[in-house]
Amino acid sequence: MDQFGVSELADWLESNTEALLTKQAKMPLTRVFDAVDYLEVLAHPAATYLDMPQGTYYREESDHKLNLLADDQPLAALQDRIMVNHVDGSIVRDELNFTYNHEPVFEPDYSAKKDLNLIKYGFEVIGAVATSGHKQTVTDALAKDAVVTLVVAAARFAQWQA
């Protein structure tokens, strides 16, 4: 993964939305994990967060945007989401501000479309500044809970497709 990979992943997800929702194309989990790992926001490799207990993540890394209600449950079971919805500031001055929406999914039925949109849009917003060559600025500005949401949502979507 390089500085263009995040944006390329967002473009692929956008162009394959219908195929993903009809299960004609599979969620590229490895690419999602690679993009998250490239951003270097999280302390551990992206794939390891799925089995991490919510309580451990809350105590050791969370920036407390997510509602982590089950200390003993793995993050993979999380039904809460933080969506990256906007970025502003000045990349030239290394001043970025991401904004987020809280997207709880405490519904009885899983919404694959909602998770896919969250993933696509998050990578689209992040990818828009990741290509700038100011990786550390992007890394420093991103919320850990929003990035871990990308991991959880992608894994949940892939599980839904199986």
Side-chain angles (χ1 to χ4, degrees):
M1 184 69 56
D2 62 15
Q3 72 184 43
F4 302 105
V6 177
S7 184
E8 290 168 357
L9 174 59
D11 291 345
W12 186 90
L13 291 167
E14 182 62 39
S15 66
N16 287 281
T17 295
E18 191 61 35
L20 287 160
L21 289 172
T22 59
K23 301 181 182 182
Q24 300 289 326
K26 295 294 183 189
M27 174 59 68
L29 271 181
T30 301
R31 286 182 70 190
V32 169
F33 295 162
D34 288 348
V36 167
D37 291 342
Y38 167 78
L39 294 167
E40 297 182 334
V41 174
L42 301 174
H44 307 285
T48 65
Y49 284 85
L50 297 171
D51 294 325
M52 183 182 289
Q54 293 178 32
T56 300
Y57 175 74
Y58 182 84
R59 287 185 302 278
E60 295 179 5
E61 201 164 348
S62 175
D63 42 30
H64 309 294
K65 293 180 183 346
L66 284 168
N67 291 320
L68 299 165
L69 305 174
D71 281 359
D72 59 336
Q73 292 293 310
L75 280 170
L78 185 64
Q79 293 189 17
D80 201 20
R81 306 284 192 262
I82 300 297
M83 179 180 187
V84 181
N85 68 5
H86 183 70
V87 62
D88 61 22
S90 170
I91 196 72
V92 175
R93 292 192 308 261
D94 290 323
E95 298 170 359
L96 287 181
N97 301 301
F98 287 96
T99 54
Y100 309 95
N101 281 356
H102 193 231
E103 300 285 336
V105 288
F106 296 112
E107 300 146 2
D109 297 322
Y110 174 70
S111 174
K113 186 174 182 177
K114 187 174 188 177
D115 262 351
L116 181 57
N117 286 336
L118 183 146
I119 299 160
K120 285 189 322 181
Y121 199 70
F123 280 129
E124 187 175 303
V125 172
I126 296 165
V129 290
T131 58
S132 69
H134 292 249
K135 181 181 169 194
Q136 193 58 52
T137 301
V138 175
T139 297
D140 293 344
L142 277 167
K144 290 177 180 288
D145 286 1
V147 174
V148 87
T149 291
L150 295 171
V151 172
V152 171
R156 179 61 182 98
F157 187 90
Q159 179 185 23
W160 169 80
Q161 286 187 311

